Amino acid sequence: MTKLHLIPYPDKVNITCGYTVSNPPVREFFSDELGPEAYRLLISEKEIFIEGNTTGIFYAHCTLKQLQLQFGDSLPCMEIEDAPRFPYRSFMLDSSRHFLPKEEVLRLLDILAFFKINKLHWHLIDDQGFRVEIAAFPKLTEIGAKRGRSHFGLVDEYKNNCGYFTKSDVQEIVAYAKERMIDIIPEIEIPGHESALLAAYPEIGCQNAPVEVVTTGGIFDNLICAGKEESFTFITKILDELIELFPYEMIHIGGDEACKRKWRACPDCQKKIKDLGLKDENALQQWFVVKIHDYLRSKGKTSVVWNDSLRGEKLPTDFVVQMWMGDIDLIKDFTSRGGKIIQSTTTTHYLDYPYGEWDAKALLNSDPYPDFLKDADSVIGIECPLWTERVVDIERAFYLMLPRLPAMAECAWTSKASRDNKSFCDRYETIAEYFKTQGIEGAPREYWFISPELAKQDKDAHHQMIYTPEYSAEMERQEAMMAVEREIYGDER
Ligand code: ACM
Ligand code: ZN
C-alpha cells in the first residue's frame, strides 16, 4: 500500500483489507465526545462512517476529499482517528500593501480549509492602506484606502494599490469562513503603522501634523497620539464596528515597529508620561495598549499583540502575544507568568520571503516550541504571515504559500510521532495536480525542498527584485531612524 497522500497527515491511520464499492454512501454520527476538532473515519467496503462534532465532521470530509484525489471513487478500507496538535493554526493575509479583492480572499479561505487551518489573521490596516469600511469615520477609506503608486522594488507599481472591503464584503467573507470552520481575527495596528489612518484623520496624530498614505515599505514614525483622550475614543469606535463585524474571541491590536520619534517631540505625549509617572515612551505604548485591551476585555474579547508590546512594564497575561522577532527575555518572562504565545518567527514562518531563504522542509522541521521555552503549554499554535509589499496578485500569493502553508498545517496539526517529513513532497504532488485544475499554481517541485544552488539563485533574484536604487535609499533612511530608536531604548533588534 502506498502512503496516503494526506496533508496534514492524520494522527492514527490503520489501513485494513480491500476497497470500497464505487462512491459508497457516507453516514454521519454527531458526537461531542471526541474533542473539539477531532473525528473518526471508518471506511469499509459498503459504507463510509464519520463521527465527530460539526467541526470534526467537516474535517473528516476534508480528509475524504484528499483520499478521493489519490484513489478516485473506490477507496482503500481504513480507520482514521484524528485530532489537531494545536488549537490555533493560522495564516495571515496583509490586505494593506496590496489589496486582493473579496473573490480572491474567498479562494484563499478554500485553501486554508483544505489543510484544516482554522484561523485567518486579517491585517487590514497599515501605513499603505486602510482596507475596511468604518461608518463612523468615512475618510478612513475615502482617503486611507487609496495610494497613487508603490515603491516596493521592481513590482507592478499601480496594481491593487487601492480598494477596501465594505461591511457587506466582510459579512460575506465571515459567513464563507464560518462554513469552513475558520475564525477571522481582524488586526488594527496600534499605535504604529498608522500613516493611512492619519492621512484621513491627522488630528489623532501628534501635533495634528499632515500625513500621507505611504507608498513604500518599511517603518515610519506616524503614530496615534497616546497623549490625547480623543485618540482612545477614536480607536474604541473603530473597535466597536470591528466587534460587530467579527463575532470571534480574538482581536489583534498590533503594536509592532512603533518608532517613537514623534512621541518624543509631542507635548501631549510627554505630559501623559509625566502625569502617569511612566519611565519612557515604551511604557507609554504599553499603557495605551493595556487601556485598549481593558476596553476589549469589557466586550468579552481577547487582545493579540506582536511581541514588541511586551516592552515597558509586565504585560498582563490575558493578552496573547504573537512572537515574530526579538524580545526573547520578555517572552520568557511573559510565558513564565502563564502568558500564551503564537509561534510565527520571521525566519521560518514568513511566506513573503523567497524559498531560497526557507523552504517547505524548513517549516516541516521547525519546532513550534522555541528552544528557550520549557513550558509547552505556552504555545497555542502556529501562524504563517504573508506580507504583501511584493505580492501584487493572487498568483504570487499561491506561489509563495504552496506548499509552505501546507507544511505549516502539518506541523500545527499532526503530532510529532505521526509525522513523516520525507514523504511530504510525494503527498503534496497529488494535491498540486488537483490545485492546477482549479487554477491554483504553487512553486515548482524543485523549490519545495530546495537545493543549495537553487536557493542561492532564488535569493539573488529576490534581492534584485527588491533593491532598486530608490528602494535602497529609502531603507537606508529608515535604518538610520531605527538605529536612533535602538540607541535610546536599548532594543536588541
Ligand atoms: C512584523 O513583521 N512587523 C510584525
Ligand atoms: Zn502625541
Side-chain angles (χ1 to χ4, degrees), residues 255-429:
D256 59 320
E257 299 177 324
C259 165
K260 310 291 190 308
R261 188 159 64 175
K262 288 187 180 161
W263 278 10
R264 290 195 292 276
C266 169
D268 292 323
C269 286
Q270 291 306 312
K271 180 169 185 315
K272 187 61 84 179
I273 289 176
K274 197 156 169 265
D275 289 353
L276 294 169
L278 298 173
K279 177 166 170 266
D280 60 10
E281 290 74 20
N282 276 334
L284 179 64
Q285 171 169 345
Q286 203 180 70
W287 169 80
F288 192 64
V289 165
V290 170
K291 201 165 141 85
I292 305 282
H293 163 77
D294 288 345
Y295 182 77
L296 286 172
R297 262 272 164 258
S298 76
K299 305 274 170 185
K301 303 286 172 184
T302 298
S303 319
V304 188
V305 283
W306 300 104
N307 58 249
D308 315 42
S309 293
L310 288 164
R311 299 172 204 163
E313 298 302 314
K314 286 188 186 297
L315 194 74
T317 52
D318 54 354
F319 276 87
V320 171
V321 170
Q322 180 162 7
M323 175 181 159
W324 72 284
M325 191 190 278
D327 301 321
I328 301 298
D329 287 343
L330 296 174
I331 295 171
K332 268 194 222 172
D333 173 70
F334 179 69
T335 53
S336 74
R337 290 184 286 118
K340 304 283 188 230
I341 63 166
I342 298 160
Q343 166 65 273
S344 66
T345 297
T346 301
T347 50
T348 341
H349 294 81
Y350 276 29
L351 298 181
D352 42 305
Y353 283 74
Y355 284 78
E357 295 281 5
W358 39 90
D359 58 5
K361 191 177 183 183
L363 263 160
L364 286 169
N365 288 327
S366 69
D367 189 342
Y369 303 108
D371 45 13
F372 61 83
L373 200 73
K374 300 229 166 36
D375 178 7
D377 280 352
S378 307
V379 177
I380 60 166
I382 313 179
E383 177 174 301
C384 275
L386 182 68
W387 301 98
T388 59
E389 284 90 340
R390 284 162 288 278
V391 183
V392 296
D393 50 32
I394 188 95
E395 283 72 28
R396 183 71 186 159
F398 290 154
Y399 177 92
L400 292 167
M401 289 165 75
L402 299 169
R404 290 188 292 189
L405 188 70
M408 181 220 77
E410 182 137 305
C411 212
W413 179 282
T414 311
S415 67
K416 244 179 153 173
S418 306
R419 296 265 291 281
D420 172 17
N421 292 352
K422 278 203 213 78
S423 68
F424 178 85
C425 293
D426 289 339
R427 287 183 281 132
Y428 186 68
E429 185 82 51

Side-chain angles (χ1 to χ4, degrees), residues 437-457:
T437 69
Q438 307 298 302
I440 298 169
E441 192 140 359
R445 184 162 174 151
E446 64 269 26
Y447 286 76
W448 303 353
F449 288 13
I450 201 167
S451 69
E453 297 75 35
L454 186 56
K456 181 173 178 334
Q457 257 180 43

Side-chain angles (χ1 to χ4, degrees), residues 2 20 51-52 57 60 73 80 96-97 117 133 151 159 162 171 174 181 222 227 250 252 260 262 312 321 382 417 467:
T2 52
T20 65
E51 181 182 353
I57 288 173
D73 296 340
I80 291 180
S96 175
R97 276 53 179 266
I117 291 170
E133 176 187 0
H151 301 273
K159 198 168 172 183
C162 301
Q171 282 156 354
V174 164
M181 310 302 146
N222 296 320
M250 290 178 169
H252 204 304
K260 310 291 190 308
K262 288 187 180 161
V321 170
I382 313 179
Y467 289 101

